[in-house]
Amino acid sequence: MALLDVIRLTKFIGTVEVLRGINFQVGTGELVAILGASGSGKTTLLRLIAGFEKLNGGEIRLGHELLAAASFAKPPEQRGIGYVAQEGALFPHLCVADNITFGLSRIERKARFRVAELLALVGLPGHYADRAPQNLSGGEQQRVALARALAPSPKLLLLDEPFSALDAGLRVETREAVARAIRAAGATAILVTHDQEEALSMGERVGVLQHGVLAQMSTPEELYHRPASPYVADFVGDAVFCPGIAEAGRVHCALGALTLAAAGLTGPVSVMIRPEQIRLGSAGALNAVPALLKDVAFYGRDAVVTLGLEGALAGDVTARVFSQAVPPPGAKVWLTVEGKVVAYPAPVSGAGTEAAMT
């Protein structure tokens, strides 16, 4: 059952159309991630749902209740929606317990209603209740902010890039704790972020905003392996694009005769291959293509290698491989592609330019 229904939502800021015809639903108990670059409209979308801004067209419904339309806007405090800002926005003059209970009734605040339960839910010890926020780490402050948002048992929880101010290691730890807490609470939530890994790891479904338009919304697996457009393919991960000819469910390109994830395309196409699909093999491997290993970027457990194709197929491609199996630069290698690939009708411009063949 859909809890939130966003219908043809449009928003102008001045004469600029920031959001255009946005349609999606969020089911009860679902965590949806909205992914987009800076300026794509993702924070504006969240603020419209929360009621902090007014829309210009469309509707927002929560259950059977209308929250907003072009001529109507229910006040934010009456929407039953919790909001977690980028940096938590805790009150420095209040202790943790008072921050958590801030949005509750006077009686509940005095009784520290659910404080111990909520601290346990977000993975913090009970004695943190009397601490000042400034005595907590950034990740702990974000967990307290989540506890505060969950305290009134909101119908919907909104998270506005809540981990962006944290360093890399703390970001992973905090987002895992927050995801566990949201699921344990059975909350319905929307996370907006520019971090692809964050969106794919947390969201049960992920939507990609492209210049104010919802380019695709699907499961993380579908989004990554079958992106709807070259833009989505390039935005949600590294991608290698090369020209090819599609025919009868296969595509012939510089990396061999490959199987398409979806049949139906015929003629000139742009083939999208994930770097981890490109494997270093032997000359005798089926469909193997010769290449020269030109450069290696080491990342610990894996490495990104630049490979120069030979002869008439001349051009560079990148591959992500297990770091212990990488030959030295200058070595001759043989490439194979594992799994099915995605193709788009040619020509394709402005997509995958950094990872594409050159």
Side-chain angles (χ1 to χ4, degrees):
M1 175 184 174
L3 176 69
L4 178 74
D5 202 357
V6 175
I7 307 163
R8 299 185 302 278
L9 190 149
T10 299
K11 172 65 178 178
F12 284 85
I13 296 180
T15 59
V16 178
E17 193 174 28
V18 179
L19 294 170
R20 182 166 71 254
I22 302 295
N23 284 289
F24 69 92
Q25 294 180 327
V26 180
T28 301
E30 185 180 23
L31 197 166
V32 167
I34 303 293
L35 179 64
S38 296
S40 62
K42 57 187 184 299
T43 294
T44 299
L45 173 61
L46 218 60
R47 291 178 61 81
L48 288 168
I49 296 170
F52 301 152
E53 295 187 25
K54 294 184 179 180
L55 54 81
N56 296 106
E59 294 181 354
I60 301 173
R61 294 182 174 273
L62 193 62
H64 299 293
E65 182 181 9
L66 178 66
L67 295 185
S71 58
F72 170 79
K74 192 168 188 176
E77 65 275 12
Q78 296 178 17
R79 295 193 178 197
I81 293 176
Y83 192 91
V84 180
Q86 288 187 20
E87 297 182 5
L90 300 179
F91 301 110
H93 63 289
L94 299 179
C95 67
V96 165
D98 290 342
N99 265 284
I100 291 173
T101 60
F102 180 80
L104 303 181
S105 68
R106 184 176 180 180
I107 293 175
E108 289 172 328
R109 291 198 303 271
K110 188 174 181 179
R112 292 191 167 187
F113 179 68
R114 296 183 66 204
V115 168
E117 173 194 343
L118 288 163
L119 284 173
L121 186 66
V122 298
L124 293 176
H127 66 265
Y128 273 36
D130 294 313
R131 288 195 179 184
Q134 53 268 35
N135 293 331
L136 305 180
S137 70
E140 289 169 341
Q141 289 182 36
Q142 283 301 87
R143 296 191 199 191
V144 173
L146 175 63
R148 180 178 63 186
L150 289 171
S153 299
K155 299 173 186 175
L156 177 67
L157 183 65
L158 306 178
L159 301 104
D160 185 6
E161 301 205 51
F163 317 114
S164 60
L166 305 179
D167 61 56
L170 189 57
R171 188 182 304 135
V172 173
E173 176 189 335
T174 304
R175 79 182 183 216
E176 289 176 351
V178 166
R180 285 195 299 270
I182 290 172
R183 292 187 176 103
T188 304
I190 300 175
L191 163 76
V192 302
T193 179
H194 64 274
D195 187 306
Q196 294 90 338
E197 184 178 295
E198 194 172 284
L200 294 173
S201 64
M202 291 187 68
E204 294 170 57
R205 286 185 299 137
V206 180
V208 176
L209 277 176
Q210 178 185 1
H211 307 306
V213 175
L214 191 60
Q216 185 174 355
M217 178 173 279
S218 55
T219 65
E221 295 83 359
E222 181 78 9
L223 190 74
Y224 187 79
H225 293 300
R226 295 193 179 188
S229 68
Y231 176 88
V232 174
D234 204 32
F235 190 72
V236 299
D238 295 328
V240 174
F241 290 87
C242 62
I245 301 295
E247 182 181 18
R250 292 178 71 78
V251 61
H252 300 268
C253 67
L255 292 173
L258 311 176
T259 302
L260 289 169
L265 279 179
T266 301
V269 295
S270 179
V271 185
M272 191 282 292
I273 304 165
R274 294 297 184 193
E276 63 271 20
Q277 289 183 264
I278 301 174
R279 303 300 176 90
L280 306 186
S282 62
L286 181 65
N287 222 11
V289 174
L292 179 70
L293 198 152
K294 299 173 70 173
D295 188 40
V296 178
F298 181 75
Y299 291 100
R301 64 184 177 185
D302 57 16
V304 173
V305 296
T306 302
L307 303 154
L309 300 179
E310 299 178 350
L313 304 177
D316 290 351
V317 297
T318 57
R320 185 175 289 273
V321 298
F322 185 46
S323 62
Q324 291 187 348
V326 181
K332 183 173 182 178
V333 295
W334 294 81
L335 311 183
T336 58
V337 176
E338 183 176 277
K340 297 180 179 180
V341 299
V342 176
Y344 308 97
V348 174
S349 61
T353 52
E354 293 184 0
M357 291 179 59
T358 58

